[in-house]
Amino acid sequence: MRFPYTRSINIAEVEELRGARWREETGALLDAGCRLLALFALPGGAPDDARRSLCSLLCNDEDGGLHLLRSEPLSGYASLTPQYPQAHLFERELHERSGVMPAGHPWFKPVRFNAPWSDTERRPGPAENDFFRVEGPEIHEVAVGPVHAGIIEPGHFRFQCLGETVLHLEICLGFQHRGAEDLFLSAAPRRRVALAECFAGDSSIAHATAYCTALERLAGVVAPPRARLIRRAALELERLANHIGDLGAIGGDTGFLPTSAWNGRIRGDVLNTTAVLCGNRFGRNLLCPGGVRQDLSADECADASARLQAAYRDARAAVDVMLASPSVRDRLEGVCAVSPETARSLGLVGMAARACGLPADVRFTHPLGPDPQEAAAPVVEHGGDVLARTLVRSRELDVSTRQVEADLKALAAEHPSPVQAELPDRLPPLHLAVGLVEGWRGEVCHLLMTDATGRPAFFKAVDPSFHNWQGVAMALRGQQISDFPLCNKSFNLSYCGFDL
Amino acid sequence: MFRIIAERFRQKYRTVNYPRVDPALPARYLGVPRLRAVDCGSCTACARVCPSGAISPRPEGGPQLDMGRCLFCGACRDVCPQEAVSFSRDHRVAAFNRDDLLISPEKPFAGIGEPQRDFSLYARSLSLREVSAAGCNACEADTNVLGTLTYDLGRFGISFVASPRHADGLLVTGPVSRNMRAALLDTYAAIAEPKLVIAVGSCAVSGGLFQPSPECGDGVPARLPVDLFVPGCPPSPWSILDALLAVSGRRNKR
């Protein structure tokens, strides 16, 4: 069933597709160019019945429409992954969460090593399993993680190498699994925004906005214009801070230390600008369902704007110096490239997809409100390599700064008006709504559904990292193992956003 | 080459002369909580809005607060009809003893307190191994940032090292998921004695927001003896730096 992305739909009105039709129609939409946003089993069903009603949520970037396809209760179906690689992790997750078997899945393993129906006494932890192995007298295997050398999140990487060349990389995550989705549903409503802010700590604003938006769409409420501007300014500040940090980290891994040193400091200046809005450098406590918790005065807007202008000037110059260096460009160009075809088939999103020439950006295809945007089109580069991912970030510095400045200017000029809309006490029963937000890595998707009494009964969060980790593995194929740190930084994906 | 040097001059010297000079914190920053003795009666407004269950009102004497659980969001301050909760702008929120983070009107936060053992060994050099155990990357980022030139951790003789074999201790962030527990304990076991443990962020201190999840627990497991607690979600980098300086004994040399 097709529905506009800004609306909620009544689950009871969605047809239960019989037999193989659910799989066929999902495949037909993917063939038609739709992207898979989520795959999940509806809650409910008798405890002794292994069958579950499956749902696929797809989006059409051409017209912004969403499609929800629902199956009759099934215990298994023919896996989508052989034909549609973007379903790969979704199907593994679906089985781990619900027990429904995607028969014929080519690489069937746990995702978060938390299956509730497996042995809970001594369940195997992440990476305590077999990996894809290349055999041969000259082949060697490199295992990295979960604890890495720097201050970063844990994950396990298994390389199959022939000399310096990586033939295959398998990425095994799950160490960061906190049971966030289940906790989110069982938690008191007051906890939920704070939890969403911690799904991926560097994307607090994106996840909080996605949750609040899904809830508002479910309630049929729209955040006031002033709140939308504050949210957008914070979201773009989050993008700026992370892009600046990543550009510095790419400089560091390239051996170009001036930009590495400067950007570490400038990133902090942008985080401190976010703290002007809400007191917290990561934007915690800024949002609430219906709007934002606190308004901004004209003086605060002027303060934030002045800080941002100074930070932008320094960042622009620091990055330009780096990109003007022939040795840096030589190190970045042609390294760890992903072709547009691979990007499309893996379903890459956000900045990583835009570096492969795909105009993937939900700010343009699924805008959060009617407010005009500074940019007319997504920032796209075509190389698919580390250089392209660097250049997308570099160009987005300009666009996002313009956007924040315009929003702060508008906020300072306007007369104060409400920044919170009232939410109704009861949500419509058996309805489902989706919040789609373009975070700095890519689209964050939150899906919220109510039960027959109007209480939230199902929640799903999809971080852009869930789509993109497979891109890192493919980017490294045939490359030097020494390119891995640089390649990994150029994607800079979230571990806890994936593990939840 | 000349362009890089010219840019170097334009970017200026940016290291803050901490701890001699206090850092500039944003106007909305919330530091050490302050509680006032009021008669809460049957009012439970603060407990009803607290996202992490950190605050509990008492019929007499005013609210009690566990800073180790607190996210410093200010929701309790905003709803208290008697204005019993306020937040100072003091970023020095760390404590050597977990009990010191439990505060009430009659027992306000008394500062970092005394270490449980002698840390003079670390006065000139302190090497730490950081382990993120289901941290959301905010505490990690605000720990990592201490290496940047604003804070310049190296000038205090403190560094983060790649191997536990090179470390004097462990700095843990995150609520310690079931899936990360073994790796954390292995890392601790690989550090030579004597060793210290620092818990950074409300997740590591108490489990924080994730404490009710069956996949997490009460933060750093009891098998690791924690020497220093730095609450916050995430703590300001200045709070973390202040705590590290306390270990190396450089905190009071103003």
Side-chain angles (χ1 to χ4, degrees):
Chain A
M1 186 175 182
R2 189 182 175 285
F3 64 107
Y5 74 97
T6 51
R7 300 272 178 78
S8 64
I9 56 162
N10 187 342
I11 287 284
E13 287 173 10
V14 181
E15 183 196 355
E16 278 197 9
L17 299 169
R18 303 210 159 257
R21 266 188 67 208
W22 173 77
R23 192 214 178 271
E24 281 164 16
E25 294 202 10
T26 302
L29 284 172
L30 290 170
D31 283 332
C34 287
R35 290 184 303 112
L36 195 56
L37 291 183
L39 202 60
F40 56 95
L42 286 177
D48 54 345
D49 187 357
R51 295 174 311 157
R52 302 287 296 276
S53 182
L54 306 184
C55 285
S56 53
L57 178 72
L58 298 102
C59 97
N60 183 336
D61 288 334
E62 298 287 316
D63 60 7
L66 300 181
H67 296 268
L68 186 76
L69 300 175
R70 176 185 180 184
S71 77
E72 63 178 352
L74 301 170
S75 58
Y77 67 96
S79 168
L80 290 157
T81 304
Q83 265 173 290
Y84 311 102
Q86 60 176 302
H88 169 199
L89 281 160
F90 284 111
E91 291 194 315
R92 282 166 57 175
E93 182 199 32
L94 176 74
H95 177 259
E96 195 169 44
R97 297 282 289 173
S98 69
V100 175
M101 179 62 73
H105 190 289
W107 199 238
F108 193 62
K109 297 174 96 171
V111 180
R112 296 169 183 133
F113 299 81
N114 68 331
W117 38 269
S118 74
D119 170 26
T120 47
E121 274 305 300
R122 178 68 195 95
R123 65 177 191 188
E128 289 178 355
N129 56 3
D130 290 335
F131 287 88
F132 183 85
R133 232 181 156 149
V134 181
E135 300 286 351
E138 310 264 314
I139 303 293
H140 67 105
E141 190 179 71
V142 180
V144 181
V147 179
H148 303 281
I151 304 179
I152 54 169
E153 297 177 67
H156 183 85
F157 300 84
R158 193 65 71 97
F159 301 86
Q160 311 293 322
C161 302
L162 177 63
E164 288 292 296
T165 307
V166 177
L167 299 178
H168 183 75
L169 162 62
E170 189 173 342
I171 301 170
C172 178
L173 304 179
F175 296 94
Q176 295 282 75
H177 179 58
R178 299 160 290 176
E181 283 175 338
D182 290 342
L183 185 60
F184 192 86
L185 262 190
S186 63
R190 65 170 189 275
R191 276 183 115 100
R192 291 196 181 125
V193 175
L195 274 170
E197 287 169 344
C198 293
F199 284 174
D202 49 27
S203 303
S204 294
I205 298 287
H207 275 280
T209 308
Y211 164 59
C212 291
T213 304
L215 184 64
E216 287 154 16
R217 285 173 182 165
L218 208 49
V221 168
V222 178
R226 209 170 157 80
R228 292 202 302 268
L229 288 187
I230 294 175
R231 284 179 179 184
R232 181 163 71 184
L235 184 67
E236 296 305 320
L237 283 172
E238 190 168 84
R239 190 181 322 280
L240 283 167
N242 284 294
H243 280 1
I244 290 170
D246 285 351
L247 288 162
I250 288 168
D253 271 9
T254 313
F256 195 79
L257 299 185
T259 301
S260 160
W262 297 329
N263 277 28
R265 186 272 299 176
I266 304 165
R267 172 176 168 278
D269 290 353
V270 181
L271 293 176
N272 291 337
T273 309
T274 302
V276 171
L277 274 53
C278 60
N280 184 292
R281 286 155 52 90
F282 295 86
R284 305 278 161 90
N285 319 316
L286 178 71
L287 275 84
C288 63
V292 293
R293 271 179 60 182
Q294 276 178 292
D295 198 359
L296 284 179
S297 70
D299 286 346
E300 284 163 332
C301 291
D303 179 21
S305 191
R307 285 166 182 264
L308 176 64
Q309 276 169 25
Y312 171 73
R313 212 171 38 236
D314 289 349
R316 185 71 273 160
V319 173
D320 285 348
V321 166
M322 176 172 86
L323 292 176
S325 158
S327 59
V328 170
R329 290 193 87 101
D330 184 57
R331 181 71 185 91
L332 306 183
E333 199 173 349
V335 174
C336 295
V338 179
S339 70
E341 295 74 34
T342 305
R344 207 170 285 122
S345 88
L346 293 178
L348 297 195
V349 298
M351 185 260 306
R354 294 199 286 281
C356 302
L358 311 184
D361 193 329
V362 295
R363 283 174 291 179
F364 299 92
T365 53
H366 303 78
L368 288 165
D371 318 287
Q373 300 192 61
E374 284 293 302
V379 172
V380 172
E381 289 283 333
H382 291 277
D385 52 1
V386 176
L387 179 65
R389 290 186 281 277
T390 307
L391 292 177
V392 168
R393 287 183 172 94
S394 168
R395 287 172 53 200
E396 286 190 345
L397 294 188
D398 303 340
V399 183
S400 293
T401 304
R402 280 211 310 277
Q403 186 66 60
V404 180
E405 288 195 335
D407 289 346
L408 288 173
K409 205 170 148 194
L411 286 165
E414 262 178 25
H415 289 295
S417 56
V419 290
Q420 278 178 36
E422 192 84 26
L423 260 70
D425 288 336
R426 279 176 60 91
L427 295 170
L430 291 175
H431 271 62
L432 178 149
V434 176
L436 268 179
V437 176
E438 187 73 19
W440 64 273
R441 286 191 183 93
E443 72 187 31
V444 170
C445 174
H446 282 205
L447 183 155
L448 192 63
M449 199 185 102
T450 51
D451 63 11
T453 64
R455 271 197 293 269
F458 182 76
F459 171 75
K460 178 130 203 57
V462 184
D463 190 83
S465 309
F466 200 79
H467 299 277
N468 285 2
W469 269 113
Q470 207 57 26
V472 177
M474 289 305 289
L476 214 70
R477 207 166 263 197
Q479 303 288 305
Q480 304 263 297
I481 191 168
S482 51
D483 289 335
F484 175 67
L486 183 62
C487 177
N488 200 21
K489 293 252 166 55
S490 75
F491 280 89
N492 194 10
L493 300 177
S494 173
Y495 298 71
C496 61
F498 179 98
D499 289 340
L500 288 173
Chain B
M1 181 71 194
F2 288 115
R3 193 175 162 190
I4 298 170
I5 294 169
E7 187 54 34
R8 168 68 192 88
F9 280 103
R10 228 190 48 77
Q11 295 272 349
K12 300 199 189 87
Y13 179 85
R14 302 283 187 162
T15 305
V16 176
N17 189 11
Y18 189 84
R20 282 195 192 84
V21 176
D22 273 334
L25 294 160
R28 291 184 179 180
Y29 172 79
L30 302 186
V32 174
R34 299 251 165 85
L35 305 171
R36 213 161 55 83
V38 295
D39 182 1
C40 293
S42 59
C43 175
T44 56
C46 57
R48 275 185 281 124
V49 296
C50 178
S52 59
I55 195 163
S56 42
R58 295 176 300 175
E60 290 158 28
Q64 266 184 322
L65 177 78
D66 181 357
M67 283 169 64
R69 281 192 186 287
C70 182
L71 308 183
F72 296 78
C73 69
C76 50
R77 175 199 59 183
D78 297 347
V79 297
C80 181
Q82 303 192 71
E83 297 179 2
V85 188
S86 60
F87 288 83
S88 79
R89 299 181 43 73
D90 190 353
H91 65 278
R92 291 166 296 182
V93 294
F96 282 116
N97 291 293
R98 180 71 178 85
D99 284 348
D100 289 350
L101 293 175
L102 304 170
I103 62 168
S104 60
E106 66 274 13
K107 182 178 162 261
F109 183 61
I112 196 160
E114 289 301 318
Q116 295 151 37
R117 38 199 184 96
D118 180 16
F119 286 149
S120 59
L121 181 65
Y122 309 117
R124 285 171 177 273
S125 161
L126 174 63
S127 300
L128 294 169
R129 171 67 261 209
E130 202 276 347
V131 174
S132 165
C136 74
N137 206 21
C139 288
E140 289 77 3
D142 266 355
T143 305
N144 218 357
V145 81
L146 298 179
T148 64
L149 41 82
T150 308
Y151 309 89
D152 192 13
L153 193 62
R155 75 197 146 118
F156 302 109
I158 306 172
S159 59
F160 287 97
V161 293
S163 167
R165 298 285 192 215
H166 303 158
D168 298 310
L170 200 55
L171 188 149
V172 186
T173 50
V176 189
S177 55
R178 279 182 69 179
N179 285 347
M180 202 43 208
R181 200 182 146 89
L184 176 67
L185 294 176
D186 286 353
T187 307
Y188 179 73
I191 299 174
E193 296 278 359
K195 47 191 166 187
L196 70 152
V197 179
I198 303 171
V200 170
S202 60
C203 286
V205 172
S206 67
L209 271 178
F210 294 94
Q211 191 271 337
S213 170
E215 294 289 333
C216 301
D218 300 331
V220 177
R223 277 170 62 188
L224 301 194
V226 179
D227 295 283
L228 180 55
F229 302 85
V230 191
C233 186
S236 158
W238 296 115
S239 304
I240 305 173
L241 180 57
D242 168 66
L244 296 181
L245 292 186
V247 173
S248 65
R250 288 163 184 264
R251 190 177 189 244
N252 298 322
K253 290 177 188 163
R254 283 183 173 243

